[in-house]
């Protein structure tokens, strides 16, 4: 046995990670796939990698040095359980199984517990960066035990992206912590993409610029504080011309967004945890709305302004959109970090927010210049209650809020949907408000269900006798 790491599942992510691993000094990579054909193809196409192939699980285990370490890259779900079952049969206590797919973190918690009972280590690792990231350097978010991290840390560091001289991988926390953080990453990804899409739509409809012209706008934004992978690829997509029709590609792509589920998980989990990730939720719902062609067709005649809008000063307007995008993006990240904090408290993970911001600076889909500011914010105040309140962001929001309000108001007037922009602004103003109408809701709850309320002026729990003489009673004695 001489391979120090093995990869199971040789679809594009698995193949690219295997090649990435093989390209780093010190690694010999064992490979296995359910059908041998894929294994053979990878061997034929990449003789330089020096892969050690196997046709069955026993041979795969025998080709690995101890502690055996296998990275599973199969479709998340039942396939993952099947592979784990097979590996557990041929691995021994102390060996390590890593699931690098987009698993639901509660599945990872369950699997880790079951595998740990056999003495084998199970690590759920979020891996972000798509096909190219897998090959050249992804961002990696591993959970699992400290013991497993001691072995796999150096291997994962060898293949991860590097940002500001540091590898984009850290031991996130135990059991499902890594997949939890990857889930939130994807939720932020959804929000960021929706915000960018709204920005494009507003510019197009407000100024009449073509996709190619708007591509230039995004390319320019990518030189400033919005610099990020998603802004960069947006410019690429907008500049693409369809070979068949000669139209902008974006105009021939069906406007129904797909989703594989991680965004929905982020929101479902946030609902359970009671964390208002409203910007992320709007992004998930916006994809759902887009994918309801029958409803959309039926609603086409609903009253409201249609394409009646032109802005007076295109340059000023575009700058407003840029600032609205930046402010809304700050909200999305802040909400995502809130969910990580709540998840860590709920599941007993010691997750360092600053470390997460660091490993998202490179390799992953949401990598952005801006992550450096988040890293700095948590470095100077690890107990920061809301990312929005860090000095850099207070200043950014101060600069942006006038534009943000103008854009949301204009969009509402023009009848243009901007759910992520407007919900982010509503969240911001809700958080800022020192007095909320939640007081009235408490009154209503007390009226119809005797759900009680607290008072601003004295401790205790109170109820008004709504159906009686409407006097107030104290339902539980206060400590005074
Ligand atoms: C990543 C991506 C990756 C995948 C998304 C796509 O971090 O590399 O997030 O995991 O592309 O799951 O998600 P949707 O298909 O739901 O848009």
């Amino acid at each position: 046995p001489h391979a120090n790491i093995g990869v199971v599942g040789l679809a594009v992510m698995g193949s690219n990670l295997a090649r990435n691993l093989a390209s780093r000094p010190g690694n010999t990579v064992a490979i296995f796939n359910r059908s041998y054909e894929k294994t053979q193809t990878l061997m034929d196409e990449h003789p330089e990698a020096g892969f050690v192939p196997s046709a069955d699980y026993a041979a795969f285990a025998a080709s690995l040095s101890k502690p055996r370490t296998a990275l599973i890259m199969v479709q998340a779900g039942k396939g993952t359980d099947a592979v784990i079952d097979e590996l557990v049969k041929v691995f021994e206590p102390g060996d390590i199984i890593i699931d690098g797919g987009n698993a639901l973190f509660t599945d990872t918690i369950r699997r880790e517990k079951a595998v740990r009972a056999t003495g084998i280590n199970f690590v759920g690792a979020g891996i972000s960066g798509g096909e190219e990231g897998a090959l050249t350097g992804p961002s990696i978010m591993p959970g699992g035990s400290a013991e497993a991290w001691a072995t796999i840390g150096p291997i994962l560091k060898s293949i991860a992206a590097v940002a500001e001289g540091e590898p984009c991988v850290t031991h996130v926390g135990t059991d499902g912590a890594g997949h939890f953080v990857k889930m939130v990453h994807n939720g932020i990804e959804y929000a960021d993409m929706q915000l960018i899409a709204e920005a494009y739509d507003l510019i197009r409809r407000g100024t009449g610029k073509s996709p190619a012209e708007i591509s230039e706008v995004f390319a320019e934004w990518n030189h400033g504080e919005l610099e990020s992978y998603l802004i960069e690829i947006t410019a690429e997509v907008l500049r693409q011309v369809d070979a068949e029709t000669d139209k902008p590609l974006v105009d021939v792509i069906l406007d129904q967004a797909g989703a594989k589920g991680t965004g929905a998980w982020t929101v479902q989990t946030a609902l359970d945890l009671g964390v208002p990730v409203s910007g992320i939720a709007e992004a998930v719902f916006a994809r759902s709305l887009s994918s309801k062609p029958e409803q959309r067709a039926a609603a086409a005649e609903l009253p409201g302004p249609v394409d009646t809008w032109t802005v007076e000063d295109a340059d000023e307007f575009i700058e407003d959109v840029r600032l609205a995008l930046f402010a809304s993006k700050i909200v999305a990240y802040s909400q995502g970090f809130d969910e990580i904090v709540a998840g860590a408290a709920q599941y007993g993970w010691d997750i360092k927010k600053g470390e997460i911001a660091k490993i998202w600076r490179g390799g992953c889909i949401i990598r952005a210049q801006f992550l450096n500011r988040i890293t700095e914010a948590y470095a100077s105040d690890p107990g920061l209650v809301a990312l929005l309140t860090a000095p850099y962001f207070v200043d950014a929001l101060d600069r942006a809020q006038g534009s943000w309000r103008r854009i949301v108001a204009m969009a509402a007037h023009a009848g243009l949907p901007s759910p992520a922009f407007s919900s982010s602004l509503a969240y911001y103003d809700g958080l800022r408000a020192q007095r909320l109408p939640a007081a009235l809701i408490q009154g209503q709850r007390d009226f119809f269900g005797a759900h009680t309320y607290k008072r601003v002026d004295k401790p205790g729990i109170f109820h008004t006798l709504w159906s009686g003489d409407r006097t107030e009673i104290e339902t539980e004695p206060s400590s005074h």
Side-chain angles (χ1 to χ4, degrees):
H2 58 293
N4 64 319
I5 175 104
V7 177
V8 178
L10 302 177
V12 64
M13 287 296 287
S15 298
N16 283 0
L17 284 164
R19 287 170 59 198
N20 184 351
L21 283 160
S23 73
R24 313 291 168 164
N27 288 336
T28 304
V29 184
I31 53 173
F32 176 80
N33 193 71
R34 195 159 49 136
S35 73
Y36 191 77
E37 223 181 292
K38 272 210 173 114
T39 310
Q40 190 60 53
T41 308
L42 187 60
M43 298 282 296
D44 293 345
E45 287 174 359
H46 296 284
E48 80 288 350
F51 289 128
V52 182
S54 292
D56 57 55
Y57 280 103
F60 176 71
S63 72
L64 288 163
S65 55
K66 292 185 194 176
R68 297 182 186 88
T69 304
L71 171 62
I72 306 176
M73 292 304 301
V74 300
Q75 189 96 54
K78 285 210 175 70
T80 309
D81 283 311
V83 173
I84 293 169
D85 288 347
E86 295 298 333
L87 285 175
V88 164
K89 285 184 209 158
V90 294
F91 273 24
E92 291 172 316
D95 291 348
I96 302 164
I97 298 172
I98 308 168
D99 173 17
N102 267 331
L104 179 60
F105 74 98
T106 46
D107 283 342
T108 303
I109 292 175
R110 166 178 62 77
R111 290 171 180 143
E112 197 275 340
K113 211 170 158 204
V115 173
R116 180 158 28 97
T118 69
I120 296 168
N121 290 290
F122 183 79
V123 175
I127 301 181
S128 179
E131 297 173 18
E132 200 191 319
L135 185 61
T136 59
S139 172
I140 312 177
M141 294 147 254
S145 68
E147 183 196 340
W149 172 244
T151 302
I152 65 174
I155 302 175
L156 298 182
K157 281 179 186 166
S158 78
I159 61 163
V162 175
E164 319 268 317
E166 293 176 87
C168 294
V169 56
T170 189
H171 182 213
V172 172
T174 53
D175 57 55
H179 276 141
F180 186 95
V181 166
K182 174 59 171 41
M183 175 188 77
V184 174
H185 165 285
N186 280 29
I188 296 172
E189 174 183 306
Y190 273 56
D192 215 344
M193 291 168 74
Q194 174 66 24
L195 290 167
I196 290 172
E198 288 177 20
Y200 148 76
D201 198 36
L202 284 162
I203 295 175
R204 186 151 185 195
R205 294 179 193 242
T207 69
K209 283 187 190 292
S210 69
E213 288 166 329
I214 302 172
S215 166
E216 299 297 323
V217 172
F218 279 95
E220 193 187 312
W221 286 359
N222 202 37
H223 294 299
E225 58 197 351
L226 277 173
E227 182 190 337
S228 63
Y229 174 71
L230 284 170
I231 294 281
E232 181 191 327
I233 67 164
T234 298
E236 296 289 332
V237 174
L238 289 176
R239 131 167 42 171
Q240 186 74 9
V241 174
D242 177 46
E244 213 167 295
T245 60
D246 229 25
K247 290 181 182 166
L249 180 66
V250 73
D251 285 350
V252 297
I253 297 179
L254 194 64
D255 61 343
Q256 298 173 19
K260 286 200 288 289
T262 50
W265 293 346
T266 311
V267 179
Q268 283 161 350
T269 305
L271 288 170
D272 289 341
L273 293 168
V275 183
V277 294
S278 47
I280 297 172
E282 283 300 343
V284 176
F285 287 137
R287 288 196 194 185
S288 313
L289 187 151
S290 79
S291 303
K292 299 276 180 288
E294 284 169 16
Q295 277 196 334
R296 289 175 60 191
E301 300 305 324
L302 287 180
V306 180
D307 293 335
T308 53
W309 187 44
T310 330
V311 296
E312 271 163 30
D313 186 323
D315 289 341
E316 243 172 56
F317 172 73
I318 289 171
E319 178 60 5
D320 275 351
V321 173
R322 187 185 73 80
L323 287 163
L325 174 56
F326 191 51
S328 304
K329 185 176 160 119
I330 294 170
V331 166
Y333 279 71
S334 192
Q335 293 180 343
F337 275 97
D338 284 349
E339 183 165 350
I340 290 174
V341 170
Q346 174 76 20
Y347 295 97
W349 298 317
D350 179 24
I351 301 181
K352 308 244 178 341
K353 287 166 279 182
E355 290 299 307
I356 302 306
K358 270 190 180 180
I359 66 169
W360 284 351
R361 289 180 304 179
C364 63
I365 304 297
I366 63 169
R367 64 183 180 263
Q369 185 52 36
F370 157 88
L371 261 309
N372 275 314
R373 307 288 87 76
I374 301 182
T375 303
E376 286 159 13
Y378 285 123
S380 58
D381 182 1
L384 195 61
V385 185
L387 187 58
L388 297 177
T389 62
Y392 174 85
F393 295 110
V394 173
D395 174 63
L397 291 162
D398 188 31
R399 273 189 294 125
Q401 58 132 354
S403 300
W404 201 7
R405 295 182 194 289
R406 271 195 297 280
I407 289 299
V408 169
M410 278 188 204
H413 270 292
L416 286 181
S418 62
F421 275 176
S422 52
S423 111
S424 306
L425 179 58
Y427 170 87
Y428 174 74
D429 283 330
L431 203 59
R432 238 168 32 87
Q434 294 303 297
R435 184 80 188 145
L436 287 168
L440 176 58
I441 291 172
Q442 286 296 80
Q444 293 164 332
R445 292 177 69 241
D446 190 59
F447 186 100
F448 63 66
H451 292 297
T452 74
Y453 50 87
K454 291 181 184 168
R455 295 181 55 104
V456 295
D457 52 359
K458 57 182 176 189
I461 296 173
F462 301 90
H463 169 55
T464 290
L465 300 169
W466 294 105
S467 43
D469 64 1
R470 303 208 166 184
T471 55
E472 182 180 76
I473 56 166
E474 195 169 352
T475 63
E476 264 177 41
S478 72
S479 48
H480 299 275

Short mmCIF file of all heavy atoms in Angstrom, two decimals, residues 329-350:
data_model
loop_
_atom_site.label_atom_id
_atom_site.label_comp_id
_atom_site.label_asym_id
_atom_site.label_seq_id
_atom_site.Cartn_x
_atom_site.Cartn_y
_atom_site.Cartn_z
N LYS A 329 -25.37 43.56 -0.24
CA LYS A 329 -24.43 42.46 -0.12
C LYS A 329 -23.89 42.36 1.31
O LYS A 329 -23.76 41.27 1.87
CB LYS A 329 -23.29 42.70 -1.12
CG LYS A 329 -22.28 41.58 -1.21
CD LYS A 329 -21.27 41.91 -2.31
CE LYS A 329 -20.01 41.10 -2.10
NZ LYS A 329 -19.71 40.20 -3.22
N ILE A 330 -23.64 43.50 1.91
CA ILE A 330 -23.20 43.52 3.31
C ILE A 330 -24.28 42.86 4.19
O ILE A 330 -23.98 42.06 5.07
CB ILE A 330 -22.92 44.96 3.78
CG1 ILE A 330 -21.72 45.54 3.03
CG2 ILE A 330 -22.65 44.99 5.29
CD1 ILE A 330 -21.51 47.04 3.25
N VAL A 331 -25.54 43.19 3.91
CA VAL A 331 -26.65 42.60 4.67
C VAL A 331 -26.65 41.07 4.51
O VAL A 331 -26.79 40.32 5.49
CB VAL A 331 -28.01 43.19 4.23
CG1 VAL A 331 -29.17 42.36 4.74
CG2 VAL A 331 -28.14 44.63 4.71
N ALA A 332 -26.48 40.58 3.27
CA ALA A 332 -26.52 39.13 3.03
C ALA A 332 -25.42 38.40 3.80
O ALA A 332 -25.66 37.36 4.42
CB ALA A 332 -26.39 38.84 1.53
N TYR A 333 -24.23 38.95 3.79
CA TYR A 333 -23.12 38.32 4.51
C TYR A 333 -23.36 38.39 6.01
O TYR A 333 -23.10 37.44 6.75
CB TYR A 333 -21.79 38.98 4.15
CG TYR A 333 -21.20 38.49 2.85
CD1 TYR A 333 -21.79 38.84 1.63
CD2 TYR A 333 -20.08 37.68 2.81
CE1 TYR A 333 -21.27 38.39 0.43
CE2 TYR A 333 -19.54 37.23 1.61
CZ TYR A 333 -20.14 37.60 0.43
OH TYR A 333 -19.62 37.14 -0.75
N SER A 334 -23.88 39.53 6.46
CA SER A 334 -24.13 39.69 7.89
C SER A 334 -25.16 38.67 8.35
O SER A 334 -25.01 38.03 9.40
CB SER A 334 -24.61 41.12 8.15
OG SER A 334 -24.60 41.42 9.52
N GLN A 335 -26.21 38.49 7.56
CA GLN A 335 -27.23 37.50 7.91
C GLN A 335 -26.65 36.09 7.90
O GLN A 335 -26.97 35.27 8.77
CB GLN A 335 -28.41 37.60 6.92
CG GLN A 335 -29.18 38.91 7.05
CD GLN A 335 -30.35 39.03 6.08
OE1 GLN A 335 -30.43 38.30 5.09
NE2 GLN A 335 -31.25 39.97 6.34
N GLY A 336 -25.80 35.80 6.92
CA GLY A 336 -25.17 34.48 6.86
C GLY A 336 -24.32 34.21 8.09
O GLY A 336 -24.39 33.13 8.70
N PHE A 337 -23.55 35.20 8.51
CA PHE A 337 -22.72 35.01 9.71
C PHE A 337 -23.60 34.86 10.95
O PHE A 337 -23.27 34.10 11.86
CB PHE A 337 -21.69 36.14 9.86
CG PHE A 337 -20.43 35.87 9.08
CD1 PHE A 337 -20.24 36.41 7.82
CD2 PHE A 337 -19.45 35.05 9.59
CE1 PHE A 337 -19.10 36.13 7.08
CE2 PHE A 337 -18.29 34.75 8.87
CZ PHE A 337 -18.12 35.30 7.60
N ASP A 338 -24.73 35.56 10.99
CA ASP A 338 -25.66 35.39 12.11
C ASP A 338 -26.13 33.93 12.18
O ASP A 338 -26.26 33.35 13.27
CB ASP A 338 -26.89 36.29 11.94
CG ASP A 338 -26.61 37.74 12.27
OD1 ASP A 338 -25.52 38.03 12.83
OD2 ASP A 338 -27.46 38.60 11.97
N GLU A 339 -26.38 33.35 11.03
CA GLU A 339 -26.84 31.95 11.02
C GLU A 339 -25.74 31.01 11.49
O GLU A 339 -26.00 30.05 12.20
CB GLU A 339 -27.34 31.56 9.62
CG GLU A 339 -27.91 30.14 9.61
CD GLU A 339 -28.73 29.81 8.37
OE1 GLU A 339 -29.04 30.72 7.59
OE2 GLU A 339 -29.07 28.63 8.20
N ILE A 340 -24.52 31.30 11.11
CA ILE A 340 -23.40 30.47 11.57
C ILE A 340 -23.28 30.54 13.09
O ILE A 340 -23.11 29.52 13.77
CB ILE A 340 -22.08 30.90 10.87
CG1 ILE A 340 -22.15 30.51 9.39
CG2 ILE A 340 -20.87 30.26 11.55
CD1 ILE A 340 -20.98 30.99 8.56
N VAL A 341 -23.41 31.75 13.63
CA VAL A 341 -23.32 31.92 15.08
C VAL A 341 -24.44 31.13 15.78
O VAL A 341 -24.21 30.41 16.76
CB VAL A 341 -23.41 33.42 15.47
CG1 VAL A 341 -23.58 33.60 16.97
CG2 VAL A 341 -22.17 34.16 14.98
N ALA A 342 -25.65 31.23 15.23
CA ALA A 342 -26.78 30.53 15.84
C ALA A 342 -26.63 29.01 15.73
O ALA A 342 -26.93 28.27 16.66
CB ALA A 342 -28.09 30.98 15.19
N GLY A 343 -26.15 28.56 14.58
CA GLY A 343 -25.94 27.12 14.37
C GLY A 343 -24.88 26.59 15.33
O GLY A 343 -25.02 25.52 15.92
N ALA A 344 -23.81 27.36 15.49
CA ALA A 344 -22.72 26.94 16.37
C ALA A 344 -23.24 26.80 17.80
O ALA A 344 -22.92 25.84 18.51
CB ALA A 344 -21.57 27.95 16.31
N ALA A 345 -24.07 27.74 18.22
CA ALA A 345 -24.62 27.69 19.58
C ALA A 345 -25.56 26.49 19.73
O ALA A 345 -25.51 25.77 20.73
CB ALA A 345 -25.37 28.99 19.90
N GLN A 346 -26.37 26.26 18.72
CA GLN A 346 -27.35 25.17 18.78
C GLN A 346 -26.68 23.80 18.79
O GLN A 346 -27.11 22.89 19.50
CB GLN A 346 -28.29 25.28 17.57
CG GLN A 346 -29.28 24.13 17.41
CD GLN A 346 -30.44 24.22 18.38
OE1 GLN A 346 -30.71 25.29 18.93
NE2 GLN A 346 -31.10 23.10 18.63
N TYR A 347 -25.63 23.63 17.98
CA TYR A 347 -25.03 22.30 17.82
C TYR A 347 -23.71 22.13 18.57
O TYR A 347 -23.05 21.12 18.44
CB TYR A 347 -24.86 21.99 16.32
CG TYR A 347 -26.20 21.87 15.62
CD1 TYR A 347 -26.74 22.95 14.92
CD2 TYR A 347 -26.94 20.69 15.71
CE1 TYR A 347 -27.99 22.85 14.32
CE2 TYR A 347 -28.18 20.59 15.10
CZ TYR A 347 -28.70 21.67 14.41
OH TYR A 347 -29.94 21.57 13.83
N GLY A 348 -23.33 23.15 19.33
CA GLY A 348 -22.14 23.02 20.15
C GLY A 348 -20.83 23.07 19.39
O GLY A 348 -19.88 22.36 19.73
N TRP A 349 -20.78 23.87 18.35
CA TRP A 349 -19.55 24.00 17.57
C TRP A 349 -18.79 25.26 17.97
O TRP A 349 -19.39 26.31 18.17
CB TRP A 349 -19.85 24.09 16.07
CG TRP A 349 -20.54 22.90 15.50
CD1 TRP A 349 -20.26 21.57 15.75
CD2 TRP A 349 -21.63 22.89 14.57
NE1 TRP A 349 -21.10 20.76 15.02
CE2 TRP A 349 -21.95 21.54 14.30
CE3 TRP A 349 -22.36 23.90 13.93
CZ2 TRP A 349 -22.97 21.16 13.42
CZ3 TRP A 349 -23.38 23.53 13.06
CH2 TRP A 349 -23.67 22.18 12.80
N ASP A 350 -17.48 25.14 18.03
CA ASP A 350 -16.65 26.30 18.31
C ASP A 350 -16.18 26.88 16.97
O ASP A 350 -15.06 26.63 16.53
CB ASP A 350 -15.46 25.88 19.19
CG ASP A 350 -14.54 27.05 19.50
OD1 ASP A 350 -15.01 28.21 19.44
OD2 ASP A 350 -13.36 26.80 19.77
#
